Amino acid sequence: MNSEPSSRRGLILINTGPGKGKTTAAMGTALRAVGNGMRVLMLQFLKGSWHYGELDSTQAFGGNFVLKQMGRGFVKVGGAETDPEDVRLVQAAWAEAREAILSGEWDMVVLDEINYAVGYGMLDPAEVAETLRNRPEMVHVILTGRNAHSTLVEIADTVTEMREVKHAYQKGILAQRGIEY
């Protein structure tokens, strides 16, 4: 009889750091999950109004991989510059995310760019942490964005920091379709 605790449980993963690839890595994990028969919801907290290749590709999976852009795109932050509409959109995205995580309807919920929303003071890290602690046992959650809050890093099972070694734009090469978007 094996006395070790079960190793099967939902994980909290964070992709953070100043380098490129945080969202792409989360999408790769989500794609792996869908390929294993899991249902994935990806909520993009600040992205919106732009067309990304990811939007088209997830539609091929029907209801098993749902991607929703919840923001307006570029967000000004700091003092009086933070637009109340952006704060409202982040709060609405969080309400939907919280409900999705706690519902147990999804095997994985990706909270894309939530670390920015927390870092910009638009979302309370303690509230996010409480939801993550209270989620159903087998729900996996991935959080992306730079500067992950220490409260969230502490409760995460896996934290990966992306760091840029070099990037094509340093040579004047513009963002490439199929690579950056």
Side-chain angles (χ1 to χ4, degrees):
M1 185 167 143
N2 188 348
S3 62
E4 290 185 26
S6 172
S7 61
R8 292 212 17 92
R9 65 182 184 89
L11 300 175
I12 299 170
L13 300 100
I14 296 178
N15 296 341
T16 192
K20 301 278 295 165
K22 295 174 285 290
T23 296
T24 303
M27 292 208 70
T29 303
L31 185 60
R32 179 183 294 137
V34 170
N36 280 284
M38 298 168 77
R39 295 191 69 225
V40 176
L41 174 64
M42 182 170 191
L43 299 176
Q44 296 188 306
F45 273 72
L46 302 177
K47 285 181 183 146
S49 74
W50 298 312
H51 186 83
Y52 292 93
E54 301 93 289
L55 286 170
D56 291 336
S57 63
T58 58
Q59 290 175 2
F61 299 104
N64 290 327
F65 192 160
V66 174
L67 174 71
K68 293 184 180 182
Q69 292 183 324
M70 307 295 287
R72 296 191 297 177
F74 180 75
V75 176
K76 286 187 192 175
V77 294
E81 286 187 22
T82 305
D83 189 323
E85 178 64 7
D86 289 322
V87 175
R88 189 192 68 72
L89 289 169
V90 163
Q91 292 293 325
W94 171 243
E96 184 166 338
R98 184 178 182 281
E99 183 179 321
I101 290 166
L102 297 176
S103 74
E105 289 178 38
W106 302 95
D107 300 298
M108 177 181 289
V109 179
V110 180
L111 307 175
D112 188 37
E113 298 190 332
I114 192 170
N115 293 337
Y116 295 110
V118 171
Y120 295 158
M122 301 165 90
L123 199 53
D124 180 3
E127 190 179 328
V128 176
E130 180 185 356
T131 297
L132 295 176
R133 283 190 203 97
N134 293 322
R135 74 195 190 287
E137 186 180 17
M138 287 308 296
V139 175
H140 303 282
V141 181
I142 304 176
L143 300 86
T144 76
R146 294 178 184 215
N147 304 316
H149 194 278
S150 59
T151 300
L152 302 175
V153 168
E154 187 177 311
I155 66 168
D157 297 293
T158 301
V159 178
T160 301
E161 185 173 275
M162 313 293 193
R163 80 178 170 83
E164 186 176 296
V165 175
K166 78 181 199 182
H167 195 286
Y169 69 71
Q170 294 164 335
K171 293 189 234 177
I173 300 171
L174 299 176
Q176 303 291 305
R177 178 175 293 282
I179 302 296
E180 276 96 8
Y181 63 97

